[in-house]
Amino acid sequence: MIESLDPGTLYPFGGAALFALGLHGLIRRRHLILRILAVNIMGSGVFMVFLGIAARGNAPPDPVAQALTLTGIVVAVSATAFALALTVHLARLTGYAVLLPGPLQTHRDSHPDDR
Amino acid sequence: MSTASPDTLIFATGALAAVSLGLPLLASAWPWQARRIGLLGLPLAILGLLAAVGLFLDAAPGMDAPAVRVGLGGWEAPLGVTLHLDGLALAMLLLNALVALAGSLYARGYIHTAAGERQFWPLWLWLWGGLNLLVLSGDAFNLFITLEIASLSAVALVALTGDTDAVTGAMRYLLINLLGSLSFLLGAALLYGEFGVLDLQLLGELADDGPTVRMAAALMLGGLLMKAAVFPLHVWLATAHASAPAPVSGMLSGMVVAAMFYLILRLWLLIFAPLGTPALAVLLGLLGSAALVWGSLQALRAPRLKIVAAYSTVAQMGYITLAFPILILHPAAWPVVVFFAFAHGLAKAAVLMAAGTVQKAAGHDRMNALGPVLRARGRTVFALGLGGISLMGLPLTGGFLAKYLLLEAGLLAAADTTTIMQVWTALWVVMVALGSLLATAYILRMVAPAFAAGERNPGGHVSAGMEWMPLALAVGAAAMGLAGASLTGLLEHTTVAA
Amino acid sequence: MNAALLTFDFVLLAGLLGVAWRCLASTDLFRAVVLFITFGLLLAIAWVRLEAPDIALAEAAIGAGITGALLLVTLERLKHIMNRPRTDTDHDPAPPPDPVASDADAPGAAPTGDAASRAADAGNAALSCAPAPARGRWITLVVTVGLAGLLMATLATQEHDPGLQPTVAEHMDVSGVDHGITAVLLNFRSWDTLLELAMVLLAGLGAWSLGRHDALPARPTPGPVLPGAVRLLLPVAIVTGVYLLWAGSHAPGGAFQAGAVLGAAGILVSLARPHELPDPDPRLLRIGVTAGALLFLAIGLWGLFAGPALLTWPSELAYPLILIIETGATLSIALTLVALFIGGRSPREDT
Amino acid sequence: MNLLLVAAAGFLLLTILFGLIRVLRGPGSGDRMLTAQLFGTSGVGILLLLGFALDQPALVDVALVFALLAVVAAVAFVRQHGLPEPAGTPMHENPVEEQPHDPPHNPPEDTHDR
């Protein structure tokens, strides 16, 4: 039975695991670099599912699914590059590259000018 | 006998897509003239859009399908990417164009440094164009790219203010958007694996009630609900919407959130409607109710004007979520969602832009110190109030029409269902009433200082566009109550899976 | 043979998951980045196993080159920012009052010691980060493991659908090229590719909107190794980029891969910088990053007016048109990637 | 013959997985980066072996691009860690004050490991 496992059937399971693993990292870690890496790992999981679907069975691989993956990778790289630039920008403003939970300045009630 | 030939409509659809991409591209290539490109291009785009609506309404009764479908590159689905233009899409394009035009005229006064304009205008046109392309797209993968274009430009616009809150809000917004998009893409991948097509209409014909469709629905709709800031995935909204530049806040609350609901509705109508079960209806109803109450309470205690308006978006999105359980029980009620999106979009854009005007004039937007400026700026207070009245749903406004339709659909849904579901439906109807009451409270909180006695001080200078555009949007929101019939006429011609 | 390949697959998948896990669990950012680069390498091998050499090519260009360089330069910038002595003229009067100090990666929270060793550690302290908090650990674990299980169960029910492969094969003769993926990207689904170019452009615009970069002064190097390596690599990279662009019509390759390789060449130059780099004219730069998409749309407009739809062209002209579009796209992508690496917009744009 | 090639590729893969120990433990950034570079070399080997084993000549191109672009990360690393950086890192709205660059790294980072 295990002999009949072709990569197209096997890898999507790995893709699903990568997606979940990335999601776990995205939720649990606070540092933005790690969160961006987590999103990228999630994306790789999705691409693995797509490419697995493309390669299933004995027919030649499906060029449409492969082309979609290529487009998806480019979109992911663009988003990553922008996210990194935004991280640096945020760090320059706050001195931290983490998203602090809790209220932000605009949500606080008091303001020096009010007194 | 219709006068518009199918070719004209196909041309119009392609031209809408080309303009939605071409204007932002030109503005990006030549940001030194981007403001001019936007202020010339957007009105022309609206004229073209109105012409397309006319053509469409003229030709629609004679068409064998309720949508214009254009296979780009000359390739029909499933091989190519299809643009899908129907009544629903046209309605959303109109909303987008109206909010974007008002925002542009507003931004003309709001963004006043040359360097700021060069960064703002290309991104602003990308947001408008990206949303247009999203609405026009009829292909699951193509939707993923348009979602990313719209979110990336929105995030960059939020960060443009440059203060800590704005950049923090932008970062949260970006992460939630990326998560939502990836979830959507994984759902699309599963659908492609099962059915071998990506075109939404073809998927609708093939889809069954199997595990793939269920999982894909959970991933795609879950991702979109996250982007639409539905409770409990709403935490990012207030920061992002409140700290963005005012025209951007208007566009985000008025149109971007609505576009996510548009997409949920579109997917629901075409593919996922067979999945609707009472259990799902109860879940969505509870989420909507929770958003309504929680968002309103936050709006009641938020310290700043723009944050009040942003939390009000969370609450109003609760209303739209409440419409979904009703349309699970009573499928013909779906136009309610569009009415809500329209009424809320115009009214909320008006309120946020008016809040931006107040903020600019006063130099801040802390609720407890805005009295003097509000008392001196009647036009802006009128826009705040009129937009607010539509949000509350007082008779004759667009908000009233939307809520009336929602209640009517709720009662119709209750008529032909089980006793337990009748109880739930009754609860949702009560929630709609309660939500209006809470909305009244936070709207009054915004405008009440204007009517108290005290010092008057108009504050800093604001441009004419910043005074008149919120008012125009608010009047539009109110007038929706009268123009509802024509919207219904347009929505009749929408692709709905059999 | 089959069993050997299957073993290979299992080891590779286990390696991928392990590397990803350690990467995300890392408390040291530099280690996380190196693990991520390794992850990209393993991913490229996985794509090869899935018979997707095009994607492996893209992954090699991105994972090994572009993303790695972007991540490393970002770490460097973060380190500079966090080691900067904070003065009163800084934007924030005080660091955010953090009720979550254990959660925040404050550089000051680094191991304490005497001042001298702290200064020596400063560079690394800025790149270390707190481990994930214990609170909520189990809920997240249950949710994500449950999601993975559901996804796998769904995948297990799916039949082997041939997808659109037969349809693509049927239409290859009119596509203008001999390589399936290029036919899909530049002809059958060219709208996706046009929007993808828009997305790359938008990332550049977004990064530019955040701030300006400084002048790019020459960076003296103490030894001959770096300039020598760059002098050797640069021509090879350019030739490879052009080759990939040309190969795309009949073999794995294409605009994005070529653009990434050329972009990497640009990044090399900007890294080595034996001479001061002139700040390019911002007007030319703006047109350069947009040109690919603009050209694509302009050619596509022909179909809008001549019929039947946007982005249509006669099949006998398909090959030259696709080559023109790909060339434009390659140059714009390469330029945007270099701009993203350098950082903000040109200071001259604001004058 | 093919079996041998696949086995060799599998062996190289295992060497990468063993090499991960150096990435995880460091101790210095240089050790980690150098290991990643060696992975790149093994990766090129794996790609070439698989290319012959599976009869996919296009993998030679992939290997070429890999070999070429792995250098970029290395140069980016060397540039920042091995050489003095002049003032003015990019992307500063306001030029920051000049500061001494961080010294070479080899402090014990194991304290951060579990």
mmCIF file of all heavy atoms in Angstrom, chain D residues 19-40:
data_model
loop_
_atom_site.group_PDB
_atom_site.id
_atom_site.type_symbol
_atom_site.label_atom_id
_atom_site.label_comp_id
_atom_site.label_asym_id
_atom_site.label_seq_id
_atom_site.Cartn_x
_atom_site.Cartn_y
_atom_site.Cartn_z
ATOM 1 N N GLY D 19 24.000 18.659 9.808
ATOM 2 C CA GLY D 19 24.628 19.976 9.888
ATOM 3 C C GLY D 19 23.783 20.972 10.660
ATOM 4 O O GLY D 19 24.295 21.966 11.173
ATOM 5 N N LEU D 20 22.476 20.693 10.740
ATOM 6 C CA LEU D 20 21.593 21.617 11.455
ATOM 7 C C LEU D 20 22.040 21.810 12.900
ATOM 8 O O LEU D 20 21.759 22.849 13.502
ATOM 9 C CB LEU D 20 20.168 21.075 11.438
ATOM 10 C CG LEU D 20 19.399 21.322 10.144
ATOM 11 C CD1 LEU D 20 18.067 20.640 10.190
ATOM 12 C CD2 LEU D 20 19.216 22.820 9.934
ATOM 13 N N ILE D 21 22.729 20.815 13.434
ATOM 14 C CA ILE D 21 23.196 20.946 14.824
ATOM 15 C C ILE D 21 24.024 22.225 14.974
ATOM 16 O O ILE D 21 23.871 22.974 15.930
ATOM 17 C CB ILE D 21 24.050 19.718 15.205
ATOM 18 C CG1 ILE D 21 23.162 18.476 15.195
ATOM 19 C CG2 ILE D 21 24.712 19.915 16.556
ATOM 20 C CD1 ILE D 21 23.919 17.188 15.350
ATOM 21 N N ARG D 22 24.871 22.488 13.972
ATOM 22 C CA ARG D 22 25.731 23.680 14.048
ATOM 23 C C ARG D 22 24.888 24.949 13.982
ATOM 24 O O ARG D 22 25.197 25.947 14.619
ATOM 25 C CB ARG D 22 26.727 23.678 12.892
ATOM 26 C CG ARG D 22 28.204 23.515 13.126
ATOM 27 C CD ARG D 22 28.785 24.094 14.325
ATOM 28 N NE ARG D 22 28.988 23.057 15.326
ATOM 29 C CZ ARG D 22 29.199 23.258 16.608
ATOM 30 N NH1 ARG D 22 29.278 24.477 17.069
ATOM 31 N NH2 ARG D 22 29.327 22.292 17.447
ATOM 32 N N VAL D 23 23.833 24.901 13.161
ATOM 33 C CA VAL D 23 22.983 26.094 13.072
ATOM 34 C C VAL D 23 22.286 26.314 14.403
ATOM 35 O O VAL D 23 22.169 27.442 14.896
ATOM 36 C CB VAL D 23 21.940 25.932 11.947
ATOM 37 C CG1 VAL D 23 21.043 27.155 11.895
ATOM 38 C CG2 VAL D 23 22.613 25.724 10.615
ATOM 39 N N LEU D 24 21.816 25.231 15.013
ATOM 40 C CA LEU D 24 21.066 25.381 16.250
ATOM 41 C C LEU D 24 21.970 25.824 17.389
ATOM 42 O O LEU D 24 21.588 26.630 18.214
ATOM 43 C CB LEU D 24 20.382 24.063 16.601
ATOM 44 C CG LEU D 24 19.233 23.687 15.652
ATOM 45 C CD1 LEU D 24 18.694 22.316 16.001
ATOM 46 C CD2 LEU D 24 18.118 24.718 15.735
ATOM 47 N N ARG D 25 23.208 25.286 17.417
ATOM 48 C CA ARG D 25 24.056 25.584 18.556
ATOM 49 C C ARG D 25 24.966 26.771 18.327
ATOM 50 O O ARG D 25 25.456 27.368 19.263
ATOM 51 C CB ARG D 25 24.940 24.373 18.854
ATOM 52 C CG ARG D 25 24.142 23.119 19.082
ATOM 53 C CD ARG D 25 24.926 22.198 19.902
ATOM 54 N NE ARG D 25 24.177 21.790 21.053
ATOM 55 C CZ ARG D 25 24.694 21.061 22.027
ATOM 56 N NH1 ARG D 25 25.953 20.716 21.970
ATOM 57 N NH2 ARG D 25 23.963 20.701 23.043
ATOM 58 N N GLY D 26 25.201 27.105 17.102
ATOM 59 C CA GLY D 26 26.120 28.204 16.833
ATOM 60 C C GLY D 26 27.556 27.797 17.097
ATOM 61 O O GLY D 26 27.999 26.831 16.506
ATOM 62 N N PRO D 27 28.303 28.425 17.996
ATOM 63 C CA PRO D 27 27.816 29.477 18.872
ATOM 64 C C PRO D 27 27.732 30.858 18.211
ATOM 65 O O PRO D 27 26.912 31.644 18.619
ATOM 66 C CB PRO D 27 28.864 29.506 19.993
ATOM 67 C CG PRO D 27 30.109 28.988 19.363
ATOM 68 C CD PRO D 27 29.667 28.013 18.317
ATOM 69 N N GLY D 28 28.523 31.116 17.222
ATOM 70 C CA GLY D 28 28.528 32.472 16.683
ATOM 71 C C GLY D 28 27.696 32.576 15.438
ATOM 72 O O GLY D 28 27.301 31.575 14.827
ATOM 73 N N SER D 29 27.395 33.822 15.034
ATOM 74 C CA SER D 29 26.655 34.015 13.794
ATOM 75 C C SER D 29 27.435 33.452 12.619
ATOM 76 O O SER D 29 26.864 32.898 11.685
ATOM 77 C CB SER D 29 26.397 35.496 13.562
ATOM 78 O OG SER D 29 25.816 36.069 14.694
ATOM 79 N N GLY D 30 28.753 33.613 12.678
ATOM 80 C CA GLY D 30 29.584 33.146 11.574
ATOM 81 C C GLY D 30 29.441 31.648 11.363
ATOM 82 O O GLY D 30 29.316 31.180 10.226
ATOM 83 N N ASP D 31 29.409 30.881 12.475
ATOM 84 C CA ASP D 31 29.255 29.426 12.339
ATOM 85 C C ASP D 31 27.947 29.103 11.633
ATOM 86 O O ASP D 31 27.879 28.241 10.762
ATOM 87 C CB ASP D 31 29.235 28.776 13.718
ATOM 88 C CG ASP D 31 30.450 29.164 14.534
ATOM 89 O OD1 ASP D 31 30.448 30.288 15.081
ATOM 90 O OD2 ASP D 31 31.391 28.368 14.594
ATOM 91 N N ARG D 32 26.906 29.818 12.031
ATOM 92 C CA ARG D 32 25.585 29.534 11.457
ATOM 93 C C ARG D 32 25.564 29.839 9.971
ATOM 94 O O ARG D 32 25.088 29.070 9.159
ATOM 95 C CB ARG D 32 24.537 30.374 12.175
ATOM 96 C CG ARG D 32 24.452 30.036 13.635
ATOM 97 C CD ARG D 32 23.197 30.575 14.280
ATOM 98 N NE ARG D 32 22.986 29.861 15.515
ATOM 99 C CZ ARG D 32 22.995 30.408 16.732
ATOM 100 N NH1 ARG D 32 23.138 31.704 16.859
ATOM 101 N NH2 ARG D 32 22.822 29.667 17.801
ATOM 102 N N MET D 33 26.115 31.012 9.635
ATOM 103 C CA MET D 33 26.058 31.423 8.235
ATOM 104 C C MET D 33 26.886 30.468 7.376
ATOM 105 O O MET D 33 26.468 30.078 6.294
ATOM 106 C CB MET D 33 26.624 32.848 8.139
ATOM 107 C CG MET D 33 26.230 33.547 6.879
ATOM 108 S SD MET D 33 24.439 33.765 6.799
ATOM 109 C CE MET D 33 24.206 33.567 5.062
ATOM 110 N N LEU D 34 28.051 30.081 7.905
ATOM 111 C CA LEU D 34 28.917 29.191 7.131
ATOM 112 C C LEU D 34 28.216 27.858 6.898
ATOM 113 O O LEU D 34 28.272 27.294 5.803
ATOM 114 C CB LEU D 34 30.234 28.985 7.883
ATOM 115 C CG LEU D 34 31.328 28.346 7.032
ATOM 116 C CD1 LEU D 34 31.652 29.232 5.853
ATOM 117 C CD2 LEU D 34 32.571 28.101 7.871
ATOM 118 N N THR D 35 27.524 27.381 7.938
ATOM 119 C CA THR D 35 26.793 26.127 7.774
ATOM 120 C C THR D 35 25.733 26.262 6.677
ATOM 121 O O THR D 35 25.578 25.381 5.832
ATOM 122 C CB THR D 35 26.104 25.742 9.098
ATOM 123 O OG1 THR D 35 26.989 26.031 10.161
ATOM 124 C CG2 THR D 35 25.754 24.290 9.110
ATOM 125 N N ALA D 36 25.027 27.381 6.695
ATOM 126 C CA ALA D 36 23.997 27.570 5.669
ATOM 127 C C ALA D 36 24.627 27.558 4.284
ATOM 128 O O ALA D 36 24.057 27.020 3.334
ATOM 129 C CB ALA D 36 23.263 28.883 5.916
ATOM 130 N N GLN D 37 25.827 28.156 4.182
ATOM 131 C CA GLN D 37 26.494 28.151 2.883
ATOM 132 C C GLN D 37 26.846 26.728 2.455
ATOM 133 O O GLN D 37 26.691 26.357 1.295
ATOM 134 C CB GLN D 37 27.763 29.001 2.958
ATOM 135 C CG GLN D 37 27.471 30.485 3.042
ATOM 136 C CD GLN D 37 26.688 30.973 1.860
ATOM 137 O OE1 GLN D 37 27.071 30.771 0.724
ATOM 138 N NE2 GLN D 37 25.531 31.577 2.100
ATOM 139 N N LEU D 38 27.286 25.920 3.433
ATOM 140 C CA LEU D 38 27.617 24.530 3.089
ATOM 141 C C LEU D 38 26.367 23.773 2.681
ATOM 142 O O LEU D 38 26.395 22.934 1.774
ATOM 143 C CB LEU D 38 28.295 23.856 4.283
ATOM 144 C CG LEU D 38 29.706 24.376 4.565
ATOM 145 C CD1 LEU D 38 30.261 23.759 5.826
ATOM 146 C CD2 LEU D 38 30.620 24.066 3.388
ATOM 147 N N PHE D 39 25.241 24.091 3.339
ATOM 148 C CA PHE D 39 23.975 23.483 2.917
ATOM 149 C C PHE D 39 23.709 23.790 1.452
ATOM 150 O O PHE D 39 23.207 22.954 0.708
ATOM 151 C CB PHE D 39 22.805 24.031 3.727
ATOM 152 C CG PHE D 39 22.776 23.583 5.151
ATOM 153 C CD1 PHE D 39 21.907 24.161 6.054
ATOM 154 C CD2 PHE D 39 23.617 22.573 5.587
ATOM 155 C CE1 PHE D 39 21.877 23.751 7.370
ATOM 156 C CE2 PHE D 39 23.597 22.162 6.904
ATOM 157 C CZ PHE D 39 22.723 22.752 7.797
ATOM 158 N N GLY D 40 24.017 25.040 1.078
ATOM 159 C CA GLY D 40 23.796 25.425 -0.313
ATOM 160 C C GLY D 40 24.567 24.501 -1.244
ATOM 161 O O GLY D 40 24.046 24.032 -2.256
#
